[in-house]
């Protein structure tokens, strides 16, 4: 599984110097118009896996950061499951999961946007 995450990041061109890694910390805890809905949805996202407050908070932070990063897209139901998968595969590396989500959403080749 470790190699899977490394391959995903490499395929998306993500390095340790990616500016989005720093942007994540400035966005993850800033409330936005989607924060309330994200809070409602995270407890319904894979409850058997995201059963701790810590794991649910990580999910919420990544979703909140993305909604703030791209306010035009914001948040929609279903994104929580994409981010949940990213967090699981990355071993809960929030910053990296945020950057992968950004790349998937921004690149039309992946069909997320």
């Amino acid at each position: 599984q470790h190699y899977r995450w490394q391959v995903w990041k490499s395929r998306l061109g993500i390095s340790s110097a990616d500016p989005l890694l720093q942007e994540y910390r400035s966005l993850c805890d800033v409330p936005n118009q989607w924060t309330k809905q994200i809070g409602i949805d995270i407890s319904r996202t894979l409850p058997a896996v995201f059963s701790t407050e810590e794991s649910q908070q990580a999910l919420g932070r990544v979703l909140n950061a993305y909604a703030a990063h791209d306010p035009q897209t914001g948040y929609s139901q279903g994104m929580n499951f994409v981010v949940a998968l990213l967090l699981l595969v990355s071993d809960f590396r929030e910053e990296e999961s945020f950057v992968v989500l950004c790349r998937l959403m921004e690149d039309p080749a992946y069909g997320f946007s």
Side-chain angles (χ1 to χ4, degrees):
Q1 183 169 328
H2 170 77
Y3 294 112
R4 177 181 300 140
W5 186 244
Q6 298 308 320
V7 169
W8 287 10
K9 289 190 320 178
S10 176
R11 173 63 181 95
L12 293 168
I14 298 169
S15 73
S16 60
D18 196 303
L20 286 173
L21 291 167
Q22 295 303 316
E23 183 181 349
Y24 173 77
R25 283 290 162 205
S26 67
L27 297 175
C28 67
D29 291 320
V30 177
N32 60 63
Q33 71 184 51
W34 305 103
T35 302
K36 183 177 177 183
Q37 187 61 49
I38 290 167
I40 293 168
D41 290 347
I42 59 173
S43 64
R44 300 183 235 174
T45 307
L46 305 174
V49 178
F50 287 82
S51 58
T52 66
E53 186 174 335
E54 182 181 341
S55 63
Q56 290 181 4
Q57 287 177 351
L59 178 61
R61 284 190 297 267
V62 175
L63 289 165
N64 196 66
Y66 183 79
H69 168 75
D70 183 357
Q72 184 175 354
T73 301
Y75 168 76
S76 64
Q77 289 180 331
M79 290 174 77
N80 49 334
F81 290 99
V82 173
V83 172
L85 174 68
L86 296 176
L87 285 168
L88 289 172
V89 174
S90 73
D91 198 26
F92 283 83
R93 292 182 179 96
E94 292 179 42
E95 294 91 343
E96 292 179 4
S97 295
F98 167 73
V99 177
V100 169
L101 178 64
C102 290
R103 294 287 188 265
L104 291 172
M105 294 294 285
E106 292 167 359
D107 192 330
Y110 300 108
F112 278 72
S113 55

